[in-house]
Amino acid sequence: MARRVAVIGAGVSGLSSIKCCLDEDLEPTCFERSNDIGGLWKFTTTVCSIMKRPDFSETGQWDVVTETEGKQERAVFDAVMVCTGHYLNPRLPLESFPGLCKIPPSQKLMAEATKKEQLIERGVMKDTSEDKLEFILYLDDLAACIGAKPSIPLLFLKDPRLAWEVFFGPCTPYQYRLMGPGKWDGARNAILTQWDRTLKPLKTRIIPDSTKPASMSHYLKVWGAPILLASLLLICKSSFFLKSAPDNLQDRISPYLVSIW
């Protein structure tokens, strides 16, 4: 029996996770609280809790409690993939950084947000919520502050292939681990192989090798019909020519054709 996997979220990560589960002969069940995507997923479903089962150390299974239209259901899964995105809810690492200031009460935050909306409606304040930030420049600025931004000219001198991938390839976090306080020995290989990992989940069909020589049956299928059609046309044309030719010419040609046929 296929192992069951709970996939939380039917966004980009969730859909690709479902595909990978199916490729590995697993049985995914996706839970999505919105109804933006059509299909066989359980829409408008809220995941209430995900807890280890009492026998988790032996089975590795999870209890997933969901709620749909006010009705709760409990299901057991062999694995859980949380694909809701790390921007779904704001997170501040207060436990890791005790020096950060405490978050103000929610009532105060709501009052400030309401006041800001009123000022924007009156034209006193500019609405900057739709302004887009160039995230690559922002990441470069942060990396430069801690000494983790890679030097492209230096990379071209030392490692041209790596420099080409960093400059012309996608901006991934690996490039900020080539140097600086978080330097990682595997960063170079991760950058050079990132497209391989991106394309692998998208490959589902084995394309036949086009370099192999085609068989005789292949040539017959391709050229058989055109050759047969051309032969029929030649026969019909010859018959029409014989009927339209004068009798004396036909008498001269007929014995010759008969000898050939």
Side-chain angles (χ1 to χ4, degrees), residues 49-220:
S49 65
I50 303 173
M51 300 181 62
K52 297 179 180 178
R53 289 181 56 82
D55 57 350
F56 179 82
S57 59
E58 299 177 0
T59 63
Q61 293 181 330
W62 300 78
D63 276 329
V64 179
V65 179
T66 60
E67 181 177 344
T68 305
E69 297 180 354
K71 182 180 179 181
Q72 287 193 353
E73 295 181 359
R74 182 185 299 270
V76 179
F77 293 93
D78 298 296
V80 177
M81 304 178 73
V82 181
C83 305
T84 55
H86 59 285
Y87 293 118
L88 179 64
N89 295 314
R91 292 283 185 263
L92 285 178
L94 300 178
E95 297 81 7
S96 302
F97 301 93
L100 293 178
C101 60
K102 298 296 181 180
I103 300 177
S106 59
Q107 295 83 358
K108 183 178 180 180
L109 293 175
M110 289 298 298
E112 292 179 355
T114 303
K115 182 179 180 180
K116 183 178 179 180
E117 290 178 355
Q118 294 174 352
L119 294 175
I120 292 175
E121 291 178 356
R122 291 164 51 187
V124 179
M125 181 182 297
K126 180 183 178 183
D127 185 5
T128 59
S129 60
E130 297 183 357
D131 292 346
K132 295 182 179 180
L133 178 66
E134 294 291 341
F135 75 97
I136 296 180
L137 298 178
Y138 181 66
L139 291 177
D140 284 344
D141 291 340
L142 293 179
C145 292
I146 62 174
K149 180 182 178 181
S151 174
I152 301 300
L154 184 61
L155 279 179
F156 268 110
L157 294 176
K158 298 175 61 177
D159 195 336
R161 182 186 176 192
L162 177 61
W164 180 274
E165 291 292 335
V166 171
F167 189 75
F168 294 102
C171 179
T172 51
Y174 303 124
Q175 67 183 36
Y176 298 113
R177 305 206 47 191
L178 293 170
M179 57 187 65
K183 184 178 180 180
W184 175 40
D185 294 336
R188 181 184 186 276
N189 183 65
I191 293 173
L192 297 179
T193 59
Q194 56 190 352
W195 278 118
D196 297 335
R197 294 190 301 277
T198 303
L199 297 176
K200 184 178 180 180
L202 305 178
K203 295 180 179 179
T204 55
R205 296 183 297 115
I206 299 178
I207 303 176
D209 189 2
S210 60
T211 60
K212 294 182 179 179
S215 61
M216 183 60 65
S217 60
H218 173 75
Y219 287 115
L220 290 176

Side-chain angles (χ1 to χ4, degrees), residues 15-50:
L15 296 179
S16 58
S17 299
I18 293 172
K19 179 186 178 300
C20 291
C21 288
L22 294 175
D23 290 342
E24 298 296 330
D25 295 329
L26 302 174
E27 183 182 337
T29 300
C30 185
F31 300 97
E32 169 61 39
R33 66 179 182 178
S34 66
N35 57 354
D36 293 337
I37 301 176
L40 302 177
W41 298 277
K42 295 185 177 180
F43 290 118
T44 62
T45 300
T46 302
V47 178
C48 302
S49 65
I50 303 173

